[in-house]
Amino acid sequence: MGIWNAEYECMDREKLMELQGERLRNTVQRVYSNVNYFRQKMKDKGVEPGDINTVQDLRKLPFTYKQDLRDTYPYGMFSAPMDEVVRIHASTGTTGKRTVVGYTAKDIDIWTELIARCLTAAGADKSDFVHVAYGYGLFTGGLGVHYGAEKIGATVIPISGGNTKRQIEIMQDFGSTILTCTPSYALYLAETMKEMNIDPKKDLKLKAGVFGAEPWTEEMRKEIEEQMGIMAIDIYGLSEIIGPGVSIECEYQNGLHIQEDHFIVEIIDPETEEPLPPGSEGELVFTCITKEALPLIRYRTRDICRLNSEKCECGRTQIRMGKVTGRSDDMLIIRGVNVFPSQIESALLELGLSSPHYQLVVERVGTLDNLEVHVEMTPDMFSDAVRQVEKAEHKIRHNIESILGLTCRVRLLEPKSIQRSEGKAKRVIDKRVK
Ligand SMILES: [Zn+2]
């Protein structure tokens, strides 16, 4: 596999730190001068731009929370005048007021460069047909991937999300080779291919997929790779930082390389907010050091993972983040126990019993929280005798309970009875929240 920009992706780490320090100084100065809201936060903490010289000084700076973007909705955190802003994206606002992000022309160039790096890491080049099934629109997925794919000279198929049968027809007719969408949608596509009697390994030209925008497990990767006969690469990003392309896996599929010449990463304890030593599991925090319109400082992502600074065989020197294992705000607290949907997914796929379509339903009965896990069976499993199903329910429950340390109920459902999503899968129904 190639490397798009070896000068930066394989940069000597000492030089990289220097570069980060210089870019951090400029960014802090920019934000302090242009964003009243953040200047006040710095003043409250008693820190001035002059106090920030190297990467080590980062921890003197205040954090930025999603709530800050909501409080300054829509443009209050922007660090460039609006006549320099050439594009707006926004989050869906499913968990509160939507957050708005902006880009200058230079920001779009940087984003395009980052995606070019990501697609190259996934093995794409100008001979490829990049099938962009991420949604186009206010969501950053579609347009984000689009420009990077054009930059490497690939042929972009800007199909956007939805209309699954048409997606597959187009893949077949147009010769899509690289699929980009959410991992749960990739599985849905695989399922629909089966129904249409299309064998992706024979009838399609797909060779790799770049999947992101939601956390997924190793088991889910295996499932996608086996069903489609492709290499499944994890891409990570969030609109507040830039969109997809903050980090990407290489062909070794062993952690996602963070684009450190543009973002400084920290891992903190989400409770105490203290930075954690290398290798610890904690919350990812990013600082943008090259953006103009919205360079957020120490942004709390809520994503939980681990960093790995060991040298990677691919030659990139950028630090790697492990797969995101959950979000500190997706985390459910059930009877005092922390539960991440990804734990349930691992428990299910480990057993190899069911397709990874599942939902957690939490209810409060009296004063007690009840967890019920709905799991779809595979078609062959469901045609078996009732006793088989009972046995499977028992096995799944046992596996989940031993992982969570929490009792639960398991309900096996008919194949395809859990609603499919064309974007992010809905894994949790929390009926305790009114
Ligand atoms: Zn690598």
Side-chain angles (χ1 to χ4, degrees), residues 250 252 257 312-316 320:
C250 60
Y252 293 97
H257 288 285
C312 183
E313 285 179 75
C314 70
R316 290 176 182 81
R320 282 171 286 168

Side-chain angles (χ1 to χ4, degrees), residues 240-256:
E240 294 86 351
I241 298 306
I242 201 159
V246 174
S247 66
I248 185 76
E249 275 181 343
C250 60
E251 70 266 32
Y252 293 97
Q253 296 177 309
N254 188 15
L256 295 86

Side-chain angles (χ1 to χ4, degrees), residues 74-103:
Y75 306 138
M77 295 288 281
F78 281 21
S79 204
M82 285 313 287
D83 58 8
E84 283 176 24
V85 173
V86 300
R87 179 135 26 112
I88 296 287
H89 282 286
S91 70
T92 49
T94 43
T95 54
K97 199 172 186 172
R98 68 174 54 82
T99 50
V100 179
V101 298
Y103 303 79

Side-chain angles (χ1 to χ4, degrees), residues 25 28-29 32 42 47-54 57 60:
R25 282 195 294 279
V28 169
Q29 188 62 61
Y32 190 86
M42 280 178 66
V47 53
E48 285 182 9
D51 301 328
I52 308 302
N53 293 302
T54 68
D57 296 323
K60 296 178 187 164

Side-chain angles (χ1 to χ4, degrees), residues 45-318:
K45 222 173 174 247
V47 53
E48 285 182 9
D51 301 328
I52 308 302
N53 293 302
T54 68
V55 178
Q56 278 71 40
D57 296 323
L58 194 62
R59 60 167 69 193
K60 296 178 187 164
L61 290 162
F63 290 107
T64 305
Y65 304 86
K66 199 177 187 91
Q67 191 58 43
D68 293 327
L69 289 162
R70 292 185 178 136
D71 290 346
T72 56
Y73 177 89
Y75 306 138
M77 295 288 281
F78 281 21
S79 204
M82 285 313 287
D83 58 8
E84 283 176 24
V85 173
V86 300
R87 179 135 26 112
I88 296 287
H89 282 286
S91 70
T92 49
T94 43
T95 54
K97 199 172 186 172
R98 68 174 54 82
T99 50
V100 179
V101 298
Y103 303 79
T104 64
K106 191 184 149 216
D107 294 338
I108 295 284
D109 282 348
I110 289 171
W111 193 13
T112 301
E113 153 81 16
L114 297 181
I115 295 290
R117 294 181 188 179
C118 294
L119 291 170
T120 307
D125 63 28
K126 62 183 182 182
S127 66
D128 279 297
F129 290 76
V130 179
H131 188 100
V132 185
Y134 285 113
Y136 280 66
L138 285 176
F139 173 56
T140 49
L143 282 167
V145 172
H146 183 104
Y147 287 93
E150 281 187 354
K151 181 157 178 130
I152 64 169
T155 310
V156 184
I157 303 169
I159 188 158
S160 194
N163 201 338
T164 305
K165 284 203 169 117
R166 189 180 67 136
Q167 297 264 358
I168 296 164
E169 283 162 17
I170 296 258
M171 274 184 213
Q172 196 166 20
D173 295 347
F174 293 6
S176 309
T177 57
I178 307 277
L179 171 63
T180 67
C181 61
T182 58
S184 55
Y185 191 53
L187 273 179
Y188 183 38
L189 280 164
E191 211 172 73
T192 312
M193 285 170 194
K194 241 185 245 164
E195 284 171 12
M196 292 167 71
N197 279 320
I198 286 178
D199 177 358
K201 291 172 205 169
K202 282 200 217 119
D203 305 329
L204 302 180
K205 293 194 174 131
L206 289 178
K207 62 179 195 192
V210 179
F211 304 121
E214 64 187 14
W216 49 309
T217 55
E218 279 307 322
E219 291 87 350
M220 192 155 167
R221 184 207 311 267
K222 237 184 268 162
E223 188 90 23
I224 295 172
E225 290 191 331
E226 277 170 23
Q227 289 194 26
M228 288 205 190
I230 60 173
M231 180 168 75
I233 292 287
D234 194 358
I235 187 171
Y236 172 86
L238 59 171
S239 62
E240 294 86 351
I241 298 306
I242 201 159
V246 174
S247 66
I248 185 76
E249 275 181 343
C250 60
E251 70 266 32
Y252 293 97
Q253 296 177 309
N254 188 15
L256 295 86
H257 288 285
I258 296 170
Q259 315 273 13
E260 290 179 281
D261 49 326
H262 297 281
F263 314 106
I264 303 178
V265 63
E266 297 171 90
I267 288 275
I268 64 158
D269 179 329
E271 302 294 321
T272 65
E273 303 197 319
E274 283 302 314
L276 293 170
S280 323
E281 184 169 81
E283 183 182 327
L284 274 174
V285 173
F286 285 107
T287 298
C288 303
I289 49 173
T290 48
K291 276 171 74 197
E292 293 179 336
L294 189 64
L296 295 183
I297 306 282
R298 302 193 86 195
Y299 183 69
R300 296 282 304 267
T301 65
R302 302 287 169 194
D303 286 333
I304 304 291
C305 80
R306 213 182 279 280
L307 296 182
N308 176 1
S309 53
E310 277 168 42
K311 227 176 142 167
C312 183
E313 285 179 75
C314 70
R316 290 176 182 81
T317 51
Q318 303 154 312

